[in-house]
Amino acid sequence: MPHAVGSTDSSDGLNAIAQRPQEAGHPAEAGALDTLVAAEQSLAAETGEVAQEAHTRIAEQQRIEAAEEAARAEREAKRWLLPVDNYRITAGFGAGGSMWSNRHTGLDFAAPTGTEVRSVSSGEIIFAGYDGPYGNKIVVRHWDGTETWYCHLSRFVLRSGEVAPGEVIGRVGSTGNSTGPHLHLEVHPGGGDPVNPRSWLQEQGVDV
């Protein structure tokens, strides 16, 4: 049958639609997609930079805090203090008397028996035992080489090892050549001859 004027076969129309270029490939949409990808890449780069900067700041802060803590620990370890509390001085360095064969070589802190005796700074116990007229004695070698003697102890709390400033190492007593409970403290810089404990402690900022 002849086609009507102006009419179009439906199959021809479908073929024409199938052959039409895909609209997804339009330049405007491709440009928008590129812009979106570029924005995401830029955001990722900025996020990475921010994260790296934050990590660097945290690491630097941790380094500063660690250095400050190490400095505090060093200051604490090198702190000097008195060996006993609630004492009275009964004999000074260089005093004479029948109790000593020569001049008195230490400083006597009279205190009740059992009073805590503390290391005057950090160091290591290098001797703990009975030593004739000194009675029960502990010797601590400190971080600067100074040796301190703690004599006439009623008992030992520590006999060896490292000690911290103020750590209890013994108890006041009256062993050895003694007429009453007290701590006889001697100070030997570099392990040499004894010096006046009172003036030496004062040089370290400790009032006696």
Side-chain angles (χ1 to χ4, degrees):
M1 177 180 294
H3 292 295
V5 176
S7 67
T8 303
D9 189 288
S10 61
S11 62
D12 293 340
L14 291 173
N15 290 335
I17 293 172
Q19 295 172 5
R20 184 180 301 163
Q22 295 298 315
E23 294 181 357
H26 285 182
E29 293 186 1
L33 182 59
D34 291 342
T35 300
L36 179 60
V37 171
E40 291 177 346
Q41 292 175 341
S42 176
L43 179 60
E46 290 178 1
T47 301
E49 291 176 359
V50 170
Q52 181 60 40
E53 290 176 358
H55 175 75
T56 300
R57 287 195 300 270
I58 292 172
E60 177 63 15
Q61 182 63 29
Q62 290 175 338
R63 186 194 67 78
I64 292 172
E65 291 176 354
E68 291 175 345
E69 179 59 31
R72 282 194 296 270
E74 183 177 7
R75 288 194 300 270
E76 174 64 21
K78 293 182 177 181
R79 184 168 58 99
W80 299 95
L81 42 76
L82 288 171
V84 292
D85 295 327
N86 301 319
Y87 62 89
R88 62 188 179 88
I89 301 298
T90 54
F93 181 81
S98 60
M99 292 295 297
W100 312 291
S101 58
N102 296 301
R103 292 289 180 177
H104 192 227
T105 53
L107 187 65
D108 287 352
F109 296 78
T113 299
T115 298
E116 293 180 339
V117 174
R118 301 181 178 90
S119 176
V120 297
S121 191
S122 61
E124 179 184 6
I125 295 175
I126 60 173
F127 175 85
Y130 193 86
D131 187 14
Y134 291 107
N136 292 327
K137 181 176 82 171
I138 290 176
V139 178
V140 176
R141 179 184 293 132
H142 299 287
W143 52 270
D144 66 344
T146 299
E147 294 180 7
T148 49
W149 298 8
Y150 308 81
C151 308
H152 306 308
L153 303 175
S154 60
R155 71 182 185 91
F156 303 101
V157 173
L158 297 176
R159 290 180 177 268
S160 63
E162 301 288 332
V163 293
E167 186 168 0
V168 177
I169 58 176
R171 302 280 181 172
V172 168
S174 187
T175 57
N177 188 6
S178 171
T179 58
H182 71 283
L183 170 68
H184 172 86
L185 176 71
E186 292 195 11
V187 175
H188 297 251
D193 294 334
V195 298
N196 188 337
R198 184 194 294 270
S199 58
W200 187 88
L201 284 169
Q202 288 174 339
E203 289 174 0
Q204 317 311 317
V206 180
D207 291 330
V208 180

